Amino acid sequence: MSDVARLAGVSIKTVSRVVNDEPAVHPDTAERVMAAIEQLGFRRNLGARNLRRGSTTGTIGLIVEDVGNPFYSELNRAVERIATSFGRQVLTGSSEENSDRERELVLEFCARRVDGILVVPAGLQHGYLVPEMRAGTPVVFIDRPAGDIVADTVLVDNLGGTIEAVTHLAQHGHRRIAFLGDSPDIFTAAERLRGFREGCVRNGISYDESLVSMGTPTPDAVGNAVKRLLDGPEAATAVIAGNNRIAVHLLRALAHAERRPAMVGFDDFELADLLNPPVTVVAHDVSALGHAAAELLFARVQGDQSPPRKVVLPVHLVARGSGEVAP
């Protein structure tokens, strides 16, 4: 500010008034100050400014599994929309499904004095957040609950959605239905597996462990699972993909298969409706998930002291063709 004042030929106080849009500055003077700011590349330290005033830092933190995953990209965009309406910016980091990385990111954001934290948890231990929450930093968990603390949580109906997928395939004549899921220690994967079991029971289908494959969804892992599940006289005639990444790997594995099973994916994904056949999915509104979580967070930021809430958003099956193939 001293450099700006010297170049513009004004006092530091005048520079302060201009950058803070205070009145009583002559337009010609303000123009000289703005020209000096532009020439020197001066930028205000908003964090320091807000802390000095005793107000917020104007930011919230968002930790997701992988910002490169379209699911989390859409979630991030939805959170940004709500944050912008509250005059905040979003700092985002990817935990890469690593609990140590999650903790590192959360504590880094807290050290930067963010106004609140949104977390898609990678682990089950969240006691480290208790001091931050007691100090006044609100935390909302998205898509998965906290492991060992009580906190605001926004989920989707994983259980009901998978039951609906099994029922849909059963109604089209399938009795040998396979399930490909993510690592079973992930909440959503475990809930969707539970829904698969419940769906089998409700539809009078014997639950067969040999038709279930759970694990980190790499192309090789999904490809090997598909070969095992579709071989032999007791092969699956239908497959449920436990998330959007598994669905994509499954489609690649089936690209040159002699026999294509019926397929239902959990989570919609780009171009699913343009494939041949178009992919039937259990869909939910990712934007609604982000909006609900961000709105709950800002309610806390603005002083809501009600007990922690658990919000479960609905899902719905979108029949497009792949889930309607007969055995």
Side-chain angles (χ1 to χ4, degrees):
M1 290 179 67
S2 297
D3 293 338
V4 171
R6 189 178 303 110
L7 181 61
V10 298
S11 68
I12 293 177
K13 181 61 177 176
T14 298
V15 175
S16 176
R17 286 175 176 162
V18 171
V19 298
N20 289 294
D21 296 320
E22 295 180 10
V25 178
H26 192 279
D28 291 343
T29 302
E31 187 176 341
R32 288 206 318 276
V33 171
M34 294 306 296
I37 286 173
E38 183 68 24
Q39 182 175 338
L40 293 173
F42 170 80
R43 295 292 181 272
R44 286 182 294 175
N45 185 326
L46 294 177
R49 171 177 173 262
N50 288 332
L51 288 173
R52 183 177 180 183
R53 291 183 171 185
S55 59
T56 70
T57 59
T59 59
I60 63 170
L62 171 64
I63 293 91
V64 299
E65 177 193 348
D66 178 7
V67 75
N69 184 324
F71 175 91
Y72 293 114
S73 298
E74 187 172 350
L75 182 73
N76 190 109
R77 184 167 56 185
V79 169
E80 284 184 339
R81 290 194 190 105
I82 299 300
T84 298
S85 72
F86 282 91
R88 305 304 205 282
Q89 301 298 322
V90 180
L91 305 177
T92 306
S94 298
S95 69
E96 299 177 352
E97 207 60 73
N98 183 300
S99 58
D100 291 335
R101 175 62 176 161
E102 171 209 300
R103 176 174 178 156
E104 177 185 340
L105 284 168
V106 169
L107 294 181
E108 173 67 20
F109 287 162
C110 287
R112 293 175 182 271
R113 301 284 295 275
V114 295
D115 300 334
I117 297 281
L118 294 164
V119 188
V120 177
L124 299 175
Q125 305 296 320
H126 295 98
Y128 69 87
L129 271 168
V130 172
E132 305 297 337
M133 295 168 69
R134 286 177 177 166
T137 302
V139 179
V140 176
F141 289 84
I142 311 177
D143 199 41
R144 311 167 187 172
D148 56 355
I149 63 173
V150 178
D152 290 319
T153 308
V154 181
L155 310 172
V156 300
D157 187 6
N158 299 288
L159 183 72
T162 321
I163 292 173
E164 188 174 0
V166 176
T167 300
H168 183 77
L169 292 168
Q171 288 173 344
H172 285 81
H174 294 277
R175 312 299 294 176
R176 299 286 294 171
I177 303 172
F179 181 79
L180 300 181
D182 209 325
S183 298
D185 56 347
I186 297 174
F187 171 81
T188 49
E191 283 293 286
R192 292 171 190 180
L193 176 59
R194 189 162 71 92
F196 175 69
R197 288 177 176 146
E198 179 66 24
C200 289
V201 171
R202 292 192 186 186
N203 289 279
I205 298 172
S206 297
Y207 175 74
D208 187 345
E209 192 73 36
S210 69
L211 293 179
V212 174
S213 178
M214 303 290 290
T216 303
T218 64
D220 287 343
V222 173
N224 292 333
V226 168
K227 290 177 183 178
R228 176 177 62 82
L229 294 168
L230 298 184
D231 283 343
E234 297 296 315
T237 62
V239 182
I240 296 174
N243 63 34
N244 59 352
R245 286 185 300 174
I246 294 173
V248 172
H249 295 328
L250 174 58
L251 289 167
R252 287 199 174 110
L254 294 173
H256 303 292
E258 295 181 4
R259 182 175 61 84
R260 296 283 292 268
M263 171 185 171
V264 176
F266 202 118
D267 300 334
D268 206 352
F269 57 96
E270 192 173 4
L271 304 182
D273 57 331
L274 299 180
L275 298 172
N276 184 24
V279 180
T280 295
V281 296
V282 175
H284 57 91
D285 191 337
V286 181
S287 292
L289 184 68
H291 286 168
E295 286 171 349
L296 182 51
L297 182 74
F298 281 110
R300 299 303 190 189
V301 169
Q302 294 179 327
D304 184 349
Q305 297 294 320
S306 60
R309 302 177 200 168
K310 178 182 177 182
V311 179
V312 181
L313 300 180
V315 300
H316 63 283
L317 189 137
V318 182
R320 294 185 176 130
S322 70
E324 295 70 63
V325 176

